[in-house]
Amino acid sequence: MSEPFAATHQTPPDLLATPDLLVAVTGPAEARLVADRPLPELADHTHQELRDAGLTPAAARRLACALELGRRVHQIPLRPGEQLKSPDQIFAAYDPQLRHLRKERFLAVLLDARQRVIREELVSEGILTASLVHPREVFGPAIRHAAASLALVHNHPSLDPEPSPEDIEITRRLVAVGELVGIRVADHVVIGGGAYVSFLERGLILG
């Protein structure tokens, strides 16, 4: 690591070594605590784990924010009004933010009658169960925002995107409720390990 930091603070970021980038974000003392960790491993650390490594709360937050910005660089967000045409769009929008999570996150993308994005709703976070992903948490926001359909997306921390029996049962239940309330489940995309499985493409949901 370059010493002292003052010697490198004028250097363009793209010319700095990784340890010096860490210095720029956290400060010299804190950077020494994590400089020997591979960057992919460091990127998987939670804010609390960075604090446990010895970083001050402020330094840990700065580093966690910088790492999160790095993950979002490759994210292609679904913007309100954008038409959802394929599960590829869902994967491009959510893989960067979901691939590093250690617990499952279940989201619903609300769509209008022309398959245009209205908004995103976080349904649940944690171990995916039928009790956790309750229809009221999925369809309540959809009804309030007058959605005509919705697309579901969640991640598998195991890195295997293959739908589990629980995934299939939850989706079957939500499709049935959607038919009752008049809000179609357009797709359910499971993300893991840099890949995805679309229920629509698998024929597990009717288009």
Side-chain angles (χ1 to χ4, degrees):
M1 187 180 304
S2 301
E3 291 284 358
F5 171 52
T8 62
H9 80 283
Q10 296 293 342
T11 305
D14 59 317
L15 297 181
L16 289 176
T18 298
D20 289 321
L21 289 170
L22 290 172
V23 168
V25 173
T26 66
E30 286 83 1
R32 292 189 186 94
L33 299 172
V34 293
D36 61 339
R37 307 188 186 198
L39 197 54
E41 175 188 321
L42 192 60
D44 282 342
H45 281 34
T46 64
H47 180 225
Q48 184 58 52
E49 287 170 339
L50 292 173
R51 292 186 61 177
D52 292 343
L55 273 66
T56 64
R61 180 167 178 79
R62 288 196 301 271
L63 182 53
C65 288
L67 293 170
E68 180 61 25
L69 280 172
R71 284 191 285 269
R72 294 187 187 187
V73 165
H74 300 291
Q75 182 177 356
I76 305 175
L78 294 175
R79 303 186 185 281
E82 178 181 359
Q83 189 174 40
L84 185 62
K85 298 178 180 179
S86 74
D88 288 341
Q89 289 172 269
I90 295 177
F91 177 73
Y94 292 102
D95 179 57
Q97 68 169 276
L98 297 179
R99 67 164 60 189
H100 296 286
L101 296 183
R102 299 179 190 177
K103 52 187 176 182
E104 295 189 2
R105 183 176 293 174
F106 193 100
L107 303 113
V109 182
L110 310 187
L111 306 168
D112 67 14
R114 295 185 179 180
Q115 291 284 98
R116 295 176 302 194
V117 175
I118 299 173
R119 60 184 288 131
E120 167 197 302
E121 293 286 340
L122 174 62
V123 176
S124 69
E125 190 168 61
I127 298 174
L128 195 60
T129 65
S131 60
L132 191 58
V133 183
H134 195 281
R136 68 171 171 265
E137 307 301 332
V138 175
F139 291 101
I143 292 170
R144 287 196 300 273
H145 294 284
S149 63
L150 53 83
L152 308 172
V153 56
H154 83 277
N155 64 302
H156 278 178
S158 67
L159 306 182
D160 180 2
E162 193 65 29
S164 68
E166 189 79 13
D167 294 339
I168 294 171
E169 174 56 27
I170 288 171
T171 306
R172 183 201 63 76
R173 184 182 182 200
L174 293 176
V175 167
V177 173
E179 290 174 350
L180 287 174
V181 300
I183 300 175
R184 182 173 63 91
V185 176
D187 200 354
H188 184 176
V189 176
V190 184
I191 293 173
Y196 73 87
V197 172
S198 160
F199 275 55
L200 181 63
E201 291 181 341
R202 280 281 182 90
L204 298 172
I205 288 179
L206 297 179

